Amino acid sequence: MLTLERHSGIGQRALAFAEADACVGRLEERLGQDESLPLAGTVEQTINLIRDLIAARVVEEGNKQIPASTADLLEVFKVPVTDEPSSHAIRDNCRALAYYRNCINMQRQDALPPVWEKMAVRTARPVCLHIRTHCIREGRLDA
């Protein structure tokens, strides 16, 4: 988890992207080998990596209120969205991951999509790519 304090974010963005890419890559590899993934662990892992990417972006930009370290994914997501319409592109992906977690917490796995583990991983990858592209365009991350 990242340190969400002003000035502690120097270099956190590159580290967050490297960790997220490696994490999603491992999950994709396991799915490619038809390995079964743990329900709650996979969803929490994808939520945390997306949360960390968004938080790292906010910390390094330095011009928005930094979310609390205990903030939920959707709370962290609200910070960059307030004045950046392009962030709405990943809103449904973040909401889907939160929905999966809520289903797990309410013991309603029957409400999850049939291949929830693939959906969770496949939902995380485009969010990572969207945030990465945004950071590259801003000149805040090397391509």
Side-chain angles (χ1 to χ4, degrees):
M1 179 178 268
L2 299 174
T3 305
L4 297 179
E5 298 173 7
R6 184 90 46 219
H7 305 299
S8 67
I10 307 305
Q12 285 197 61
R13 179 176 297 167
L15 177 62
F17 276 107
E19 289 176 0
D21 189 52
C23 176
V24 174
R26 285 189 301 273
L27 292 171
E28 288 171 332
E29 184 177 311
R30 291 173 67 186
L31 287 174
Q33 297 171 356
D34 290 327
E35 187 176 330
S36 177
L37 299 176
L39 178 62
T42 302
V43 171
E44 281 305 313
Q45 202 172 13
T46 56
I47 285 174
N48 289 335
L49 73 88
I50 297 303
R51 180 193 174 282
D52 284 353
L53 287 180
I54 295 170
R57 177 178 158 197
V58 170
V59 168
E60 283 196 7
E61 285 175 358
N63 59 353
K64 295 179 182 160
Q65 181 159 345
I66 297 171
S69 61
T70 57
D72 183 69
L73 169 63
L74 297 180
E75 291 176 274
V76 173
F77 173 73
K78 288 179 189 177
V79 176
V81 160
T82 55
D83 59 346
E84 294 178 31
S86 68
S87 293
H88 288 286
I90 61 171
R91 176 185 56 216
D92 289 341
N93 297 63
C94 293
R95 286 181 178 170
L97 291 171
Y99 171 78
Y100 296 166
R101 182 176 52 197
N102 291 340
C103 288
I104 293 165
N105 290 342
M106 295 185 321
Q107 298 179 349
R108 288 293 316 269
Q109 286 83 346
D110 61 307
L112 291 170
V115 287
W116 64 266
E117 61 270 84
K118 289 181 181 178
M119 293 297 292
V121 174
R122 301 295 189 250
T123 297
R125 178 59 78 188
V127 174
C128 294
L129 293 173
H130 174 84
I131 297 170
R132 179 183 205 92
T133 301
H134 186 80
C135 294
I136 290 170
R137 272 194 316 238
E138 290 178 336
R140 296 181 180 269
L141 190 66
D142 293 333

